[in-house]
Amino acid sequence: MSEPTLRLFFALPCPVEQAAAICAWRDERALEGRPVPRANLHLTLAFLGAQPVEHLQALLELGTTVQAPAFQLNLDRLATIGKGFVCLQPSATPLALAYLVAALNERLAALGVVLDSRPFLPHLTLTRQSRSRPHGPAPTFGWRAEHFVLYQSQNTADGVRYLEQGRWPLLAAS
Ligand code: ATP
Ligand code: MG
């Protein structure tokens, strides 16, 4: 029998107020595709995929070793990536975001977690399976990223939901 696994990813959760504003704008614009539920809005930092349950403890310890600064994240571009994922993206990737992703990748590699080889593409998915490919400027939606989270992605009869497994602070400027 195959060993039990958890589908895991590190992400920046979208705060509730910004998620409400983003969804209101998305729904008013009637963007094509299947809308991502408001509670699921996030920006993936590192996608781990299926991991053995017994690796969870080491991944939670990994989270505590990441010392990275908090930063302002501004999403100001509408883009369509992959097979019809309509997203908000930052027109410039904050240095601190790149640093956080690099720190996670380095520690994950040391644990032997193999990540997707595609380069990091910061995005917050709004809808999926869109046949049109909207892109261009968007109103700026942003928040101060003050923590990051390890989520378990779980498929349910009501769609995918993300269960928080761990949460760690990003460091305030001294
Ligand atoms: P579902 O696939 O069930 O429709 P989902 O895409 O929200 O739902 P997951 O597939 O578990 O859930 O993905 C969780 C997050 O990780 C999403 O942001 C997704 O875009 C991202 N992700 C999934 N697969 C990869 C991958 N191979 N490389 C990078 N990021 C990925
Ligand atoms: Mg998916």
Side-chain angles (χ1 to χ4, degrees):
M1 223 173 73
S2 61
E3 55 185 338
T5 60
L6 303 173
R7 186 174 172 89
L8 298 172
F9 63 103
F10 285 100
L12 298 176
C14 180
V16 281
E17 278 178 24
Q18 283 78 6
I22 290 170
C23 288
W25 173 77
R26 172 191 67 189
D27 298 344
E28 192 182 317
R29 247 195 93 134
L31 288 173
E32 216 187 292
R34 188 161 51 89
V36 172
R38 186 167 67 178
N40 284 5
L41 294 191
H42 67 278
L43 186 142
T44 299
L45 299 167
F47 179 74
L48 285 60
Q51 296 294 320
V53 172
E54 61 267 26
H55 284 183
L56 181 59
Q57 196 51 43
L59 291 166
L60 295 176
E61 282 158 24
L62 179 157
T64 65
T65 71
V66 173
Q67 305 278 306
F71 58 93
Q72 178 66 29
L73 177 67
N74 287 330
L75 305 170
D76 55 1
R77 304 275 317 161
L78 185 64
T80 308
I81 61 175
K83 292 182 185 163
F85 287 66
V86 180
C87 304
L88 286 172
Q89 292 191 297
S91 48
T93 301
L95 207 55
L97 172 58
Y99 178 84
L100 173 60
V101 168
L104 284 169
N105 288 355
E106 187 185 302
R107 286 164 176 77
L108 288 166
L111 274 185
V113 177
V114 180
L115 296 175
D116 198 302
S117 58
R118 283 175 294 182
F120 174 61
L121 184 68
H123 66 278
L124 180 149
T125 305
L126 298 168
T127 71
R128 295 149 179 270
Q129 297 164 347
S130 169
R131 282 164 303 166
S132 61
R133 300 186 69 82
H135 63 278
T140 301
F141 295 104
W143 68 90
R144 188 164 168 80
E146 289 177 324
H147 54 259
F148 67 99
V149 170
L150 178 65
Y151 285 114
Q152 177 193 354
S153 170
Q154 199 176 56
N155 275 311
T156 75
D158 295 329
V160 72
R161 45 176 208 151
Y162 306 141
L163 306 176
E164 187 172 316
Q165 299 293 324
R167 173 180 288 240
W168 300 271
L170 295 168
L171 307 173
S174 50

